[in-house]
Amino acid sequence: MRSKIVMFLSLIWCLALPSQADQLKVDGFATLDINISNSQTAGIRHVISQPDASYLGEPSFANSSIGLQFEWQSSSQLQWVAQTVLKERKEYKLDYLIQMAFARYTLTPNWQFRIGRTGLDLYMMTEYRDIGFAFNYGHPPTEFYAVVPHQNLDGIDVTYTYPLEQSVLTYKLFAGRSNAPIISDEDFIWDVELKSIYGMNLSLQTQNWLLRSNFTTTQAGNTNEQQIQLLSAIQQIPSVIWPTRQALIESLLIKGKRFNYFTLGAHYDDSHWILQSELAYIDSDSEVLNHLKAGYISVGTHHDDDTWLLTLSAAKSNNRVDPGPLVTTPQLDALYHGVIRHTNFYLIDQHTWSISWRRVLTSTLAAKIQLDHTQANHLPSAFYLHKNLSSGDHDRYFQSLGLSLNWVF
């Protein structure tokens, strides 16, 4: 049942494009990125669906990617858009490769409708976060953009644009569902389904400013196999031995829990000075991802072909850690460790200072360097992969350096 609209639109493309090749616009983009780090315990990555990370002496190319975007204007009001992105993944599925596939219908200059697979519009950089040439950061701020792995929406959206005297006001409503993988330690993978996604955006655009707000609500649509096994095991333990087991059971029951996502964003660019900031708050019925606050602020400047940015990003959650059983045995300790690994996956408390430099080499090529200094007050963290955590000597402070070339063609 899932993604039938996307597959239907892809079929239309295959049938229609041979006769419409002269009207087809094809654009491409690519990023060649290397990331190095001095951390021995926290493997640096910038998306929680990435299966690879950089450690001390182990560079990573996981942020490299290449993509194509196709646009076909079949009439004055109807446009078809498809985008595919190839980047490092744990599993390569056709569903993951199709980043966007939608039909856009412009009813009037003010009203626009889209159906199919679009960007999940939670962020300011939603529509172009895979196109490295399109933004100034070496990578979008991890503490903000890595919390939710979902990048697209299978559904519909409606946009109304209202011109004002010196600005443009835009309202957007969207609905649908989404799937994306979460990758963690010990080859853990969960294809997370979000169903009943409903959201609305309000933005105001002036000559130099973009102000934006978003509210999105959704429900978890599935539970992974490891959670089911843990639930079965913990339910066998008497409450006399484990008084807090019921609270842990509730934490593991993800399916059907509702999640609410709020964001505010602002961007200023007068061709000399830059200011960009986004704030987010996640609230839910589940203790796994609840009361999480994230945000970043960037200030910078353009000088000829160079752009410099200084960024502070941070994320903090209020997850509680429920105590283990009153009796200690190897089996109970292993069970408690497995449960806590799931319920505290989003136990996050960290911030990062970043310096970014971008040089436009040609009209289609840019080079970028970004240095990050991170203080992580809690490991393990959902943001990273990990090594040697059992030693207890965790890297709380670490640096990473990213260098990239970014093309459009």
Side-chain angles (χ1 to χ4, degrees), residues 269-274 300-303:
D269 192 337
D270 65 359
S271 299
H272 182 62
W273 294 103
I274 311 166
T301 182
H302 299 291
H303 183 71

Side-chain angles (χ1 to χ4, degrees), residues 72 81 87 117 144 165-166 302 310 336 353 362 407:
W72 170 37
V81 177
K87 51 188 174 182
R117 173 165 293 180
F144 189 84
E165 185 174 346
Q166 295 183 336
H302 299 291
L310 175 65
Y336 179 61
W353 286 96
T362 71
W407 295 268

